[in-house]
Structure formats: structure tokens, C-alpha cells
């Protein structure tokens, strides 16, 4: 496994990490036992960065990760998140952060996390957005710049208490007028950024006819401010794989993206044996990205992606 610096944190993280949605059983069928094996196998393979959230499986992901890392905590870095869920949370951010972090630490079986991140979309105006289709559909708050900064300052208190080391934001599907000043503020050390073969707008201007969410070339903004870049959705929620391994709605974004991803089959002609590997290697080819965190749900998926650390991408 190769390692890269996570921005100005100074942390040397594995360029392939583990995203927690899979072990939270969000991305399809798996078992607790398989997910625990996955976590421990990841450490064996040299992976030292694990990203999770209390929202993944309603705490399941953090519980599995805490169990899997039993006896291994000093070999890894753990990132988790905070999401404000009620109007009361918005009115008392410091209290909401404290409650969320204390619950996360119990589930993770640790006394601190290495990165604590805002788990909200960021926009020019507040409000709600559809966070999960469901059923039932689930909604989350969109934070404006002032709210995000206020939440960041509330999270800093947890850092001062030694329960977190660094802070981060989720800078995807956001608004450039919001994430640019936030990344320049010095409050946040990391940013989760959506970037993949189907949506490259975190790095380049959108092409003619582009009909997805423009990520605002945020990679350059983060890099310029020495913010560590955590790449998410490298596989476009499973669309950039050989076949869909879970049922999806026929007219959903995942179904649309899966159909579009068939045009990248030529990438398997090089060192990458699967489209999944080619998709991950594409993200790793950008040296500004510190780590990519796919949401594995079994050991086979983990091992296939871990091998990408040493694979070249022959063509695009």
C-alpha cells in the first residue's frame, strides 16, 4: 500500500481507504461477520484510513468498525461525522456536537477520532434536501456558510477536549460561494469531494451537455488551501462496476450512470482487470487526492480495490 499526506494534518494515510457505508450495510447485502473480517483484512493490507458516520446504518457502521479495530486502534486513523438532525440541534450546535461525538466514541470503542467532519450539504441558503430516497425518504439540513462556520467552531471545542484531532467538511454537491471561503478559513483540515470517471467537475469545467451536479472544481480550491482531499463516490454509488449487485430503480441516477459507464470498458485493456479497478485508479492518478474511500461490503471488494495502489492506468 502507498501512502500520501492528508493536507496540512501531517497524517500519512493509505491512498486506498475504507468508506463506512458498506459496513453499515447501506450498499447492499452483507453480514456483521463479513464486515468485521473486512476491517481486519484492511489493516493487514496496510490500509490505515477509515471513514464512517453515525448516519451509516444508524450507528451500525461505527459499531462494526469499533469491533473490527479492537486491538488495532493505534495502527489506524478514524474519521467520522456530525449531522444536525432537528431544529433543536441547529439552535444548540455545541450540545448537538457533544452528544453526537460521545455516542460515536462509544460505538467506535475509542477515546478520540482523528478527523471529525460536517455531514451536510453546503449551500448559499439553508433548508432541507433529500438525503436518502428510502423507503421511507430521509431529509437533512443544508447549511449556509454562516451555519457551517458556527458548526465548525462548535466542533473545535471537541478538539480542545482531545476527542478529535482535525476537522473536515463534505464539499460535494455544494456551492462554490460557500465551500471556497470555508476551505480558506483555516477552520477545516480536510474535505470530502465527489470525483469519478462520470463526473470530473471537481477538477475540470463541465463539458457541453453535462447534466449532473457541477462540483465547482473544488479539488484545486482545497489543494490551494492545503486541505486534505478525501475522494468519495469513486464508483458512482456502484455504477462504475462490472455489474450492479443490488436492485435499483430503473430511472434512478445509479441506473442512468451504470448505462453510461459501459463506454469505459476499454480501460480494462491495460493493467486494470475490472472497471471497478479502472475507476479507482482514475481517481488515484490525481496526486492532489490523499485517499479514496470506497464503501466495501465484503473482503473480495476490498482486496480488488487495495491492489489499485500499485496499478497504472494505461489509457483514458
Amino acid at each position: 500500500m502507498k501512502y500520501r499526506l492528508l493536507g496540512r494534518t501531517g497524517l500519512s494515510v493509505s491512498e486506498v481507504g475504507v468508506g463506512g457505508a458498506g459496513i453499515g450495510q447501506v450498499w447492499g447485502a452483507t453480514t456483521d461477520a463479513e464486515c468485521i473480517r473486512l476491517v481486519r483484512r484492511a489493516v493487514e493490507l496496510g490500509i490505515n484510513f477509515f471513514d464512517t458516520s453515525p448516519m451509516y446504518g444508524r450507528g451500525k457502521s461505527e459499531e462494526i468498525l469499533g469491533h473490527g479495530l479492537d486491538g488495532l486502534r493505534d495502527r489506524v486513523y478514524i474519521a467520522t461525522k456530525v449531522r444536525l438532525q432537528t431544529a433543536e440541534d441547529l439552535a444548540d450546535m455545541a450540545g448537538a456536537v457533544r452528544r453526537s461525538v460521545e455516542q460515536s466514541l462509544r460505538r467506535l470503542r475509542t477515546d478520540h477520532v482523528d478527523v471529525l467532519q460536517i455531514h451536510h450539504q453546503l449551500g448559499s441558503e439553508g433548508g432541507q434536501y433529500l438525503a436518502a430516497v428510502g423507503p421511507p425518504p430521509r431529509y437533512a439540513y443544508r447549511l449556509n456558510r454562516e451555519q457551517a462556520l458556527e458548526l465548525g467552531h462548535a466542533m473545535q471545542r471537541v478538539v480542545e477536549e482531545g476527542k478529535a484531532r482535525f476537522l473536515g467538511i463534505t464539499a460535494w454537491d455544494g456551492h462554490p460561494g460557500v465551500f471556497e471561503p470555508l476551505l480558506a478559513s483555516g477552520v477545516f483540515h480536510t474535505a470530502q469531494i465527489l470525483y469519478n470517471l462520470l463526473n470530473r467537475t471537481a477538477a475540470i469545467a463541465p463539458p457541453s451537455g453535462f447534466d449532473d451536479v457541477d462540483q465547482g472544481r473544488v479539488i484545486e480550491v482545497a489543494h490551494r488551501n492545503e486541505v486534505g482531499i478525501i475522494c468519495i463516490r469513486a464508483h458512482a454509488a456502484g455504477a462504475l462496476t462490472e455489474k450492479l449487485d443490488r436492485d435499483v430503480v430503473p430511472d434512478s441516477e445509479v441506473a442512468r450512470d451504470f448505462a453510461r459507464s459501459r463506454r469505459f470498458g476499454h480501460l480494462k485493456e491495460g493493467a486494470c482487470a475490472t472497471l471497478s479497478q479502472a475507476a479507482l485508479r482514475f481517481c488515484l492518478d490525481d496526486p492532489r487526492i490523499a485517499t479514496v474511500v470506497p464503501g466495501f461490503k465484503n473482503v473480495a471488494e476490498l482486496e480488488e480495490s487495495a491492489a489499485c495502489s500499485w496499478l497504472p492506468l494505461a489509457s483514458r
Side-chain angles (χ1 to χ4, degrees):
M1 180 59 58
K2 296 179 183 177
Y3 301 85
R4 304 182 183 186
L5 283 179
L6 185 62
R8 65 179 186 278
T9 68
L11 303 181
S12 180
V13 299
S14 52
E15 59 182 18
V16 178
V18 172
I23 62 174
Q25 304 184 17
V26 172
W27 293 131
T30 187
T31 66
D32 290 1
E34 178 68 7
C35 291
I36 290 169
R37 283 195 294 271
L38 184 162
V39 171
R40 300 189 75 83
R41 177 59 176 153
V43 178
E44 289 178 356
L45 292 171
I47 291 174
N48 70 353
F49 189 80
F50 294 82
D51 172 70
T52 184
S53 168
M55 305 309 299
Y56 299 155
R58 300 183 180 182
K60 167 71 78 172
S61 175
E62 290 182 328
E63 290 175 356
I64 291 291
L65 186 56
H67 192 165
L69 291 177
D70 187 29
L72 302 172
R73 175 65 181 94
D74 61 347
R75 296 173 59 179
V76 303
Y77 301 119
I78 298 175
T80 194
K81 305 179 183 76
V82 169
R83 176 177 288 176
L84 307 175
Q85 301 196 68
T86 66
E88 290 74 18
D89 287 348
L90 280 170
D92 178 23
M93 290 187 183
V97 168
R98 185 177 302 279
R99 290 188 294 273
S100 179
V101 170
E102 288 177 352
Q103 292 166 8
S104 290
L105 294 179
R106 284 195 293 271
R107 288 190 288 260
L108 290 165
R109 304 185 185 191
T110 186
D111 61 357
H112 76 282
V113 294
D114 298 284
V115 184
L116 182 64
Q117 304 158 103
I118 291 178
H119 201 177
H120 290 266
Q121 284 188 8
L122 309 174
S124 55
E125 297 181 1
Q128 287 191 324
Y129 64 94
L130 183 63
V133 176
R138 296 188 296 278
Y139 295 85
Y141 290 106
R142 180 178 292 105
L143 303 184
N144 61 31
R145 181 175 60 184
E146 291 74 19
Q147 290 172 320
L149 273 176
E150 182 181 354
L151 182 53
H153 291 312
M155 293 160 64
Q156 281 183 322
R157 301 179 193 179
V158 176
V159 174
E160 293 166 0
E161 294 171 0
K163 296 179 181 178
R165 298 175 63 190
F166 303 102
L167 302 180
I169 67 172
T170 45
W172 61 283
D173 289 7
H175 190 283
V178 177
F179 63 66
E180 288 187 20
L182 288 177
L183 294 178
S185 70
V187 174
F188 302 102
H189 306 86
T190 68
Q192 293 207 338
I193 295 174
L194 184 152
Y195 181 62
N196 57 51
L197 279 166
L198 292 166
N199 188 337
R200 310 181 187 193
T201 59
I204 61 174
S208 175
F210 182 74
D211 61 355
D212 207 337
V213 178
D214 184 355
Q215 303 297 326
R217 279 141 288 177
V218 65
I219 286 178
E220 178 53 36
V221 178
H223 181 67
R224 184 167 64 246
N225 288 285
E226 298 183 281
V227 170
I229 298 172
I230 302 165
C231 180
I232 62 173
R233 299 295 178 96
H235 296 113
L240 284 163
T241 55
E242 297 299 300
K243 63 180 181 178
L244 291 172
D245 58 0
R246 68 186 192 281
D247 293 332
V248 298
V249 177
D251 59 351
S252 66
E253 289 184 9
V254 175
R256 177 204 69 186
D257 287 346
F258 181 74
R260 293 176 175 179
S261 72
R262 299 309 90 187
R263 70 178 187 266
F264 296 114
H266 68 280
L267 296 178
K268 295 184 292 182
E269 297 172 2
C272 297
T274 64
L275 179 58
S276 174
Q277 285 188 327
L280 184 54
R281 187 63 247 177
F282 167 79
C283 298
L284 291 176
D285 278 1
D286 191 321
R288 298 169 297 182
I289 292 172
T291 184
V292 182
V293 288
F296 311 117
K297 60 183 178 295
N298 55 57
V299 173
E301 291 178 350
L302 165 76
E303 292 180 339
E304 179 186 44
S305 288
C308 291
S309 184
W310 290 93
L311 291 180
L313 185 62
S315 63
R316 300 195 181 198

